[in-house]
Amino acid sequence: NAGVMQNPRHLVRRRGQEARLRCSPMKGHSHVYWYRQLPEEGLKFMVYLQKENIIDESGMPKERFSAEFPKEGPSILRIQQVVRGDSAAYFCASSPGDYNEQFFGPGTRLTVL
Amino acid sequence: QKEVEQDPGPLSVPEGAIVSLNCTYSNSAFQYFMWYRQYSRKGPELLMYTYSSGNKEDGRFTAQVDKSSKYISLFIRDSQPSDSATYLCAPGGSYIPTFGRGTSLIVHP
């Protein structure tokens, strides 16, 4: 019974490159959430998706960031033209529905040089 | 004022102590309350989940919610060094919980 999977676990990019972060939810879960965590800060909500739909992207920067959760395959968080301020841990969580507890993956640690 | 407030600590206790971790919130619309544990460089792990005011117990852990005071607590009995982690409270009123910054707990042998 695999949990939430994220890859890569560590990602290094130079300024201006693109970063793609992947998240496979737990089996049977159709809701995916992305969070960002900076040192000494809490988890900040970015985006909430269901299969083929973005439900809430109120926490995601308007530029350079996008997310998708296709009918088949993992959810992708894409950051274009990365800057040093994008360096953080990005966590994905999944749940079987609304108003339910969320189960987190191990995170992707993005470092922008 | 932040929606969810937690003292970041660190809170250092000896093994076997009873630990009290606390959280206050300002949004009266919050209906459910979660506690997560996060080990260093790992993802948060759900510990407790409750809807109602009062106490909920699970092994050595007890979650206490007082909606009238907007106060949430997590008690850990017989604390162990393996409990050393950051504890995040996460109340919510919709599909997106609001996470506290977390309290760092250190249990020393």
Side-chain angles (χ1 to χ4, degrees), chain B residues 4-94:
Chain B
V4 180
E5 298 272 7
Q6 270 188 281
D7 185 337
L11 175 63
S12 182
V13 301
E15 183 175 356
I18 296 174
V19 176
S20 173
L21 301 165
N22 306 304
C23 183
T24 59
Y25 63 93
S26 57
N27 190 340
S28 56
F30 287 155
Q31 299 173 24
Y32 62 88
F33 307 88
M34 300 187 287
W35 281 96
Y36 283 85
R37 176 176 62 195
Q38 186 175 22
Y39 291 113
S40 180
R41 306 187 72 76
K42 302 286 186 183
E45 169 194 9
L46 182 65
L47 277 179
M48 302 285 282
Y49 178 69
T50 181
Y51 277 107
S52 56
S53 278
N55 293 352
K56 180 177 181 179
E57 190 173 315
D58 185 359
R60 295 186 295 113
F61 298 90
T62 299
Q64 187 174 78
V65 176
D66 182 345
K67 287 186 180 180
S68 62
S69 302
K70 298 189 182 68
Y71 197 82
I72 312 166
S73 298
L74 179 71
F75 298 97
I76 307 174
R77 288 185 300 280
D78 188 25
S79 56
Q80 303 294 311
S82 58
D83 294 328
S84 298
T86 296
Y87 290 80
L88 308 167
C89 70
S94 66

